[in-house]
Amino acid sequence: MARHRNRQRATHTLAATREEQVDEGDHGDPIYDTVDIVEGEPVQFDSGGTSFVRGDTGERVERTPTVEGRGALADLLQEGDDVTLRPAAPGASTLSGLEVVSIDADYGRRARAGSATIELEGV
């Protein structure tokens, strides 16, 4: 059911890649390559962009960009993965150069992640 709701609210599709060791060289040195993790996953993007200073402490607080998607993203993605967001709206700009900073899964009654909120950061 959450998957259906996510697709209805989707503002972007998410593609994620990660650098993984794919082989070893002649002398045992690791050979890395970019591996596709997720492609075309519908998500709802929130640009964050909120920045304020707490009056009592003077601390600067900024909300980072996040995406919300189906719970399986919590199992598929890892911190450090590279993310590209393609907009659902025609003519809008693709967002690239983003990195997964944290993943927060929202668990339902059956102890399965119903949705995942992924915090992003520009690289």
Side-chain angles (χ1 to χ4, degrees):
M1 186 142 146
R3 183 177 182 163
H4 178 69
R5 283 193 310 264
N6 286 339
R7 287 183 185 214
Q8 284 182 336
R9 297 183 305 170
T11 59
H12 292 74
T13 56
L14 179 141
T17 59
R18 127 179 6 128
E19 291 290 317
E20 287 188 347
Q21 182 176 344
V22 293
D23 204 357
E24 285 189 6
D26 294 336
H27 303 286
D29 51 324
I31 298 174
Y32 292 92
D33 197 8
T34 301
V35 177
D36 292 332
I37 306 302
V38 178
E39 180 65 43
E41 182 69 29
V43 294
Q44 183 176 13
F45 177 64
D46 178 4
S47 64
T50 303
S51 177
F52 61 93
V53 177
R54 292 185 195 259
D56 54 341
T57 63
E59 174 188 12
R60 177 170 285 291
V61 178
E62 291 188 40
R63 272 190 39 211
T64 58
T66 60
V67 292
E68 183 178 339
R70 64 187 180 105
L73 288 175
D75 294 328
L76 296 171
L77 297 176
Q78 298 176 2
E79 292 179 11
D81 287 349
D82 294 320
V83 170
T84 300
L85 297 173
R86 292 180 182 86
S93 299
T94 296
L95 304 170
S96 58
L98 300 169
E99 182 178 303
V100 174
V101 178
S102 71
I103 302 166
D104 183 27
D106 180 25
Y107 290 92
R109 294 183 304 223
R110 296 186 179 162
R112 286 194 309 192
S115 67
T117 302
I118 295 100
E119 187 174 327
L120 304 170
E121 183 175 90
V123 219

